[in-house]
Amino acid sequence: MIALYRSARVVCTVLVEAGTVLVLVAVGRPELTVPFGRLGEWLRHGDPATVVIALLRWVALVGAGWLLASTLLCLAA
């Protein structure tokens, strides 16, 4: 019974992390993309609210991807 409970927790964790990554990708409208090729110009001339939201989305996407990848790697090990 304890093994089933632990397995369910792992499956739920992976599903929540994958769902978070999918939601962050789905929210990615064209104005929320971070143009890394011209980042300085975008930061200087972009709308401040859009710049902050886009950067926060990018950081959250990297963090969620990191959590999902590390969870899957630990699960594989």
Side-chain angles (χ1 to χ4, degrees):
M1 189 66 164
I2 293 196
L4 181 64
Y5 179 69
R6 286 183 182 172
S7 297
R9 284 190 345 193
V10 170
V11 168
C12 287
T13 300
V14 170
L15 288 176
V16 167
E17 290 172 356
T20 302
V21 170
L22 288 175
V23 166
L24 287 169
V25 168
V27 171
R29 297 184 313 231
E31 63 268 9
L32 292 180
T33 57
V34 178
F36 290 107
R38 52 184 187 89
L39 187 62
E41 176 187 341
W42 179 71
L43 288 171
R44 281 189 300 277
H45 300 297
D47 178 40
T50 304
V51 169
V52 168
I53 296 298
L55 289 175
L56 286 175
R57 179 186 160 269
W58 185 78
V59 169
L61 187 58
V62 168
W66 178 270
L67 283 174
L68 179 61
S70 63
T71 301
L72 292 175
L73 285 173
C74 286
L75 187 61

